[in-house]
Amino acid sequence: MSAESSTLARCTELDRRLVAAVKGIRVLGMVSWPARVQSAFLAQWHKGNPRLPSIDYARPGFAQARAEIEAIHAAADATHPVGDYIRRSADSWRTATLMLDAVGDAEFTRHSIDLYGRPGSRVPGSELSNTDAARHFISLADELDHEVLAREADYCIPADVLREELQGQLDSFFGREVVRVEVDDQLISKAAAGATRIRLRSATCFSEHDRSQLLEHEAFVHTLTALNGRRQPQLASLALSSPRITATQEGLAVFAELMTGSLDIERIKRISLRILAIDMALNGANFIEVFRYFLDAGQTEADSFSSTQRVFRGSPVEGGSAFTKDVVYLHGLLSVHTFFRWALKHQKLNLCRNLFAGKMSLHDVVALEAQFDSGYINAPNWLPRWIRHANGLAAMLAFSLFANRIRLDRIEAEDLVLAV
């Protein structure tokens, strides 16, 4: 056996140990709120006497798992690309255990920031921050004609009807009953996706954009990458949602919405509002104050509660703390968009396809290119339709690269009239 083969065999064994060690660590599941909390809060809100929600979080304790994760981290070869991948993943899971061990306390927020960043973090390739980007998109959305934006929202698709529609499309794409679509009356968010199941919130009105976003974002990115990851014979961890891949995974999912015309300006506004709400919470706003912020921004009471609980899940609701995960949506979108443009410029669009082989970060897909080429990591079995058509993808990215050189602040209306 060659030295490289021996190293890879060692990496595969460490990866299997890591998958076993993190089996019981479910970040979102352990910080989620029961649906009854929303009913109780809104009942008090309607009485004019709102009260801060009270959540009892389970604390299983991850000291034993953390010890094994740290041992795996120490045993992995930092000088080898796969060893470095394992070390990065182990470090991310270790931080997640520390965060979950502090659930409900202010210390939770510090570890959350270590994993997901903060609203004031810099946007890749720019001196602007996530909050700068959020304010830009909110301002742009508010300037548009709300009557035009509201027309599509008048059409309501009930959860049961949407479930049947999505199930048919997923059976056609993945194969019959590979992925199940279910309606869940305990779900606070509109939808949630796993490797083999997509859940929809019951008694909810879904729009045409919601339907497209669920397909492109949840099914054809989150579920698809999990299923492709499960087909990896050497690195089983590529099927897991390691906290460190969240920015790339969510960014890729929103980018898929953008590429397929599923992303509307109101969706970007909702993502941006969450970033500013996290910033408010970190600066002292409590649950009720953030809830009012979403209401004032035009969200319904149910959606405002859902948005606010996303900000505070796992952390104290009195103010000064937050779960910062939702910062990654806009940050990840901008990062992934930049990465795709970089890949086109350097003739490496194959790296964009490799992103779908499992759940990985942008760093991983570049660092592990040789392992894809050698066959140690399998190419993705399923790919979204929009990335299978390389010519269309290349055209969009090429146009984007050139259009970015045009300075809008130097263009007057007369210039556009004279140009046609």
Side-chain angles (χ1 to χ4, degrees):
M1 181 182 291
S2 68
E4 175 67 4
S5 296
S6 178
T7 298
L8 289 176
R10 174 64 172 159
C11 288
T12 297
E13 177 57 29
L14 288 173
D15 187 74
R16 287 172 181 162
R17 282 176 58 188
L18 182 61
V19 170
V22 306
K23 187 175 182 180
I25 304 172
R26 299 181 301 109
V27 173
L28 296 185
M30 291 180 176
V31 301
S32 64
W33 292 11
R36 56 179 169 76
V37 178
Q38 175 176 317
S39 301
F41 176 84
L42 291 180
Q44 290 299 128
W45 176 264
H46 293 152
K47 293 177 182 178
N49 184 32
R51 299 175 184 173
L52 294 175
S54 178
I55 313 296
D56 293 323
Y57 294 104
R59 292 194 179 189
F62 289 109
Q64 185 174 350
R66 188 158 52 247
E68 170 66 355
I69 291 169
E70 290 171 348
I72 294 166
H73 181 278
D77 181 0
T79 65
H80 190 278
V82 182
D84 181 59
Y85 160 82
I86 292 170
R87 286 170 62 90
R88 288 172 178 269
S89 298
D91 188 58
S92 171
W93 285 112
R94 175 184 176 276
T95 303
T97 65
L98 292 170
M99 182 179 72
L100 292 173
D101 280 350
V103 68
D105 294 338
E107 186 71 5
F108 176 92
T109 296
R110 182 172 69 83
H111 298 302
S112 174
I113 290 172
D114 289 341
L115 286 176
Y116 307 114
R118 59 168 66 244
S121 299
R122 187 175 60 85
V123 171
S126 170
E127 295 304 315
L128 300 174
S129 68
N130 293 313
T131 51
D132 292 328
R135 291 190 182 100
H136 166 78
F137 288 118
I138 292 170
S139 175
L140 184 61
D142 288 342
E143 288 175 4
L144 297 176
D145 185 346
H146 290 277
E147 292 184 6
V148 172
L149 292 172
R151 287 174 187 168
E152 294 183 8
D154 292 338
Y155 179 66
C156 173
I157 306 174
D160 288 332
V161 173
L162 183 60
R163 188 206 70 79
E164 292 185 11
E165 292 181 4
L166 293 180
Q167 189 66 69
Q169 290 176 284
L170 296 185
D171 284 350
S172 176
F173 185 87
F174 291 111
R176 185 169 178 79
E177 297 184 352
V178 173
V179 180
R180 302 188 316 277
V181 184
E182 301 174 354
V183 175
D184 187 344
D185 61 3
Q186 295 300 307
L187 196 64
I188 293 181
S189 59
K190 271 195 170 183
T196 60
R197 184 175 64 153
I198 295 176
R199 293 177 294 154
L200 307 176
R201 186 173 68 196
S202 63
T204 299
C205 178
F206 294 88
S207 68
E208 291 281 358
H209 271 298
D210 289 333
R211 175 168 53 190
S212 298
Q213 288 160 7
L214 283 169
L215 271 175
E216 303 300 339
H217 184 116
E218 305 291 353
F220 297 148
V221 174
H222 292 329
T223 295
L224 180 147
T225 51
L227 289 173
N228 281 335
R230 288 187 173 191
R231 298 172 68 93
Q232 295 294 342
Q234 308 299 336
L235 292 179
S237 63
L238 287 174
L240 303 181
S241 295
S242 166
R244 76 180 185 87
I245 60 90
T246 305
T248 297
Q249 185 74 185
E250 298 296 355
L252 185 61
V254 180
F255 184 72
E257 295 178 42
L258 179 65
M259 287 298 303
T260 57
S262 305
L263 183 64
D264 62 292
I265 191 65
E266 287 297 286
R267 162 81 161 149
I268 299 179
K269 179 181 176 179
R270 289 195 299 272
I271 291 171
S272 300
L273 286 170
R274 293 176 198 160
I275 294 173
L276 297 190
I278 291 170
D279 194 51
M280 288 174 59
L282 291 176
N283 285 301
N286 66 24
F287 185 94
I288 296 172
E289 291 168 327
V290 173
F291 175 77
R292 285 197 179 102
Y293 170 73
F294 283 113
L295 277 181
D296 292 343
Q299 294 191 5
T300 65
E301 289 182 352
D303 286 342
S304 294
F305 182 90
S306 177
S307 297
T308 308
Q309 68 85 28
R310 292 178 69 108
V311 173
F312 285 97
R313 51 188 168 171
S315 64
V317 297
E318 293 80 13
S321 300
F323 183 42
T324 61
K325 173 183 174 287
D326 279 5
V327 168
V328 306
Y329 284 80
L330 198 52
H331 186 92
L333 170 61
L334 295 168
S335 298
V336 168
H337 187 267
T338 300
F339 174 78
F340 270 70
R341 292 164 57 221
W342 173 88
L344 175 70
K345 183 177 181 179
H346 294 277
Q347 299 182 0
K348 286 184 173 291
L349 284 179
N350 62 301
L351 295 181
C352 299
R353 288 186 286 272
N354 287 347
L355 264 180
F356 291 90
K359 294 185 179 291
M360 65 188 80
S361 69
L362 295 177
H363 177 277
D364 294 336
V365 79
V366 174
L368 299 174
E369 184 177 10
Q371 282 64 48
F372 276 99
D373 293 342
S374 71
Y376 177 77
I377 302 176
N378 286 345
N381 182 65
W382 289 286
L383 282 171
R385 295 180 180 89
W386 61 269
I387 202 169
R388 290 204 305 264
H389 303 297
N391 287 341
L393 174 63
M396 188 283 293
L397 295 173
F399 186 83
S400 176
L401 279 172
F402 184 82
N404 281 349
R405 297 163 58 185
I406 300 174
R407 294 286 300 275
L408 292 180
D409 58 345
R410 295 180 180 177
I411 295 179
E412 300 294 338
E414 307 86 73
D415 298 326
L416 299 176
V417 173
L418 293 173
V420 293

